[in-house]
Every structure is written in C-alpha cells, then in structure tokens.
Amino acid sequence: MSTYTLDSATSRATPTPTPTKRVTVPAVLKRKGGEPLVMLTAYTTRMAQLMDPHCDMLLVGDSLAQVIYGLPSTVPVTLEMMAAHGAAVVRGSYRALVAIDMPFGTYEASPEQAFASAARLLKETGAAAVKLEGGAAMAPTVRFLIERGIPVIGHVGLTPQAINVLGGYGARGRSDAERAKLVADSVAIAEAGAFALVIEGVVEPIAAEITQKVACPTIGIGASTTCDGQVLVTEDMLGLFERTPKFVKKFDDLAGRISAAVETYAADVRSRAFPGPDQVYAARD
Ligand code: KIV
C-alpha cells in the first residue's frame, strides 16, 4: 500500500516511497522458469508511480514515438527523448528495475558507439539497463556493453526499428528459414550475456523453443505464455487506443472514460456548473 504526502510546492499528493530495494539484474535472471516477470512500458513520472508497485520491470520504450509524440514509427526517436523520459520514470519508481530502449541509429554502427549512447542514458537517468533490438549481428555489441558494466535486454522477432526493412508489423517465424534464424539470433544474444530477451510478435511454438534454449528469462509481447514474463505498451492495455495489435488485451477502456469525463467537463463549463462552490476561493475563511 502506498502512502501519500502533500507536496506544498505543487499542491499535489505524491507517493511516499517505503524503503525498498530495487529489483536487480541477478534477481531477474533468477526468475528463469519461475514466477512470470511483469513488465510494462512507462514514459512519465506519474504513470511510473502508479505502475511501480505492481511491476518487476518498467521499460522506457521507444514506442513513446507513437504513444507520446504521434510519430509514425520509432525511427525518429533520439537519445535526448529517451534520456528525458527515462529520468522521469526513474524519479517515479522505487522498486521496479528501469530499462531504457536504445533509439535507432545510436548503437548499430559499432560497439563503441553503443557504449557511448548507453553510458549516457544510464548516467543521465539512473536507469539500470538498456534494451536494444537485433539478432546475431548485435551479439558482439551486447557482449561489449556487458563486459563494461552495462546490463542489456535483447529484443528479437518483430523489431519495430527495422520497419523499413521488414515492411510491416506482422508476426514472425511462419517459415522454416525464419524459425531457424529467430532461434539462432536469440541464442546468440543470450550467449553474449543479455539478462533478458524480449520476444515480439512470434508464433507460439518458436517462442517456446527460444525460451527453452536460452538461459536468460524471455519476456513475450505477442509471443504466448510460454515466455518467462510478459510486457505490453501500457497505453495499449489500458485501452487508450481504439485499434491495437492482436496480441493486446485491453484491461480497461481509458479512451472511453477520458472522452466521457471531458464531455462532462465541457458541458459543465458551458452551463456554468463548473467551477462550483467547492472549487472557488472565498474572500474570507
Ligand atoms: O518500445 C517498446 O515499447 C518496446 C516494447 C513493446 C517491448 O520495445
């Protein structure tokens, strides 16, 4: 249970953190084959505060491109954007391990480029780990980062940063060649030292095979319960968007509830029902 203190500077209640230790990388590794890991995306302090008590890991995903910035893909996301949102999420969380996506173009050229980008993200945000997309070609980079103190989460299958190569966001692993490549990519990233592996948009038997073959926990998104944990884009599972990928379960209808609340607000303003006596400052107490 969270308790709250009134922040007199902002007149808002903010959660009082109960002294606690953050989930660590070794603790995540120990969950392989155990209780499923719970991960969601977070981009802002307030959402992090609300999700932190329930999640093992918060991912500052580059999906903020579409969710926050209305961009058409994750390709335009910058290190500056990830650093600003990463720091906000770390400020709003006390328990969950916070991982940040490395944006497209900030890590693929060389292990050295990746180290400079990842070190900057960790220094400027206080996050514990980075996530990067790609298979065997990225394995030397994953090893380079880990040997220099930067924990890495891999991301295979549907890798949205490669949209211009993939040509669409469909499920992966439907042909034998794709299956063999997905498994080899996953094994390469895990053997390079990744402490977790996101598997996105992959048919169930391959997600199961990968989970069985890699030593680190797998985190599925559209990859079935055979994975060692699950992640979703929070705004998708809250029902903020009318249309979402097949693998999203809507746990609420935030779009409907926000529209209804704003409609009521607009009606109250127009009829002068708002502000009412409770919201008006009296001349004297
Ligand atoms: O950017 C993101 O939110 C992600 C998750 C969907 C895994 O990479």
Side-chain angles (χ1 to χ4, degrees):
M1 246 314 258
S2 300
T3 53
Y4 292 86
T5 42
L6 187 69
D7 177 345
S8 56
T10 64
S11 293
R12 284 185 171 80
T14 53
T16 317
T18 33
T20 182
K21 194 172 170 313
R22 273 195 198 265
V23 175
T24 60
V25 166
V28 170
L29 272 165
K30 274 197 202 131
R31 296 275 287 275
K32 177 77 187 171
E35 185 192 9
L37 286 155
V38 179
M39 189 192 224
L40 279 172
T41 60
Y43 318 113
T44 63
T45 298
R46 184 63 187 134
M47 289 298 281
Q49 287 169 344
L50 294 171
M51 291 188 289
D52 183 62
H54 310 288
C55 292
D56 299 306
M57 291 190 272
L58 294 176
L59 172 67
V60 188
D62 60 356
S63 50
L64 57 69
Q66 294 97 334
V67 176
I68 303 280
Y69 289 97
L71 291 165
S73 78
T74 54
V75 171
V77 173
T78 63
L79 266 183
E80 288 68 26
M81 288 156 87
M82 297 312 294
H85 288 275
V89 169
V90 171
R91 281 195 292 274
S93 61
Y94 316 101
R95 183 190 163 273
L97 183 153
V98 177
I100 306 189
D101 262 337
M102 306 269 289
F104 176 71
T106 68
Y107 64 96
E108 302 89 334
S110 67
E112 288 77 8
Q113 182 207 25
F115 182 82
S117 303
R120 180 176 165 196
L121 284 179
L122 296 201
K123 275 173 184 281
E124 291 186 12
T125 65
V130 295
K131 175 167 84 57
L132 56 82
E133 296 183 8
M138 292 311 302
T141 295
V142 170
R143 191 180 303 282
F144 190 89
L145 294 184
I146 288 155
E147 284 173 350
R148 286 158 183 78
I150 300 186
V152 178
I153 300 177
H155 184 156
V156 297
L158 171 56
T159 46
Q161 291 177 8
I163 182 63
N164 291 316
V165 176
L166 299 175
Y169 293 106
R172 308 279 118 190
R174 290 213 158 106
S175 70
D176 282 351
E178 234 177 41
R179 186 199 69 79
K181 179 161 168 28
L182 273 172
V183 174
D185 280 343
S186 302
V187 169
I189 293 295
E191 286 183 349
F195 74 95
L197 182 68
V198 168
I199 308 179
E200 179 165 356
V202 165
V203 297
E204 183 167 14
I206 299 179
E209 184 179 347
I210 294 171
T211 300
Q212 188 253 317
K213 285 201 167 132
V214 300
C216 66
T218 56
I219 316 282
I221 172 163
S224 85
T225 58
T226 60
C227 295
D228 298 301
Q230 299 294 325
V231 60
L232 282 175
V233 169
T234 299
E235 284 72 2
D236 284 348
M237 59 78 86
L238 290 177
L240 205 61
F241 296 102
E242 280 74 13
R243 204 178 129 67
T244 49
K246 172 185 164 60
F247 56 72
V248 172
K249 174 175 172 184
K250 290 187 185 173
F251 290 81
D252 204 331
D253 170 31
L254 229 52
R257 294 212 278 148
I258 290 174
S259 291
V262 175
E263 192 181 352
T264 307
Y265 167 77
D268 281 9
V269 169
R270 289 185 183 116
S271 68
R272 297 189 192 279
F274 173 83
D278 288 349
Q279 292 94 33
V280 171
Y281 293 104
R284 278 199 197 88
D285 282 338

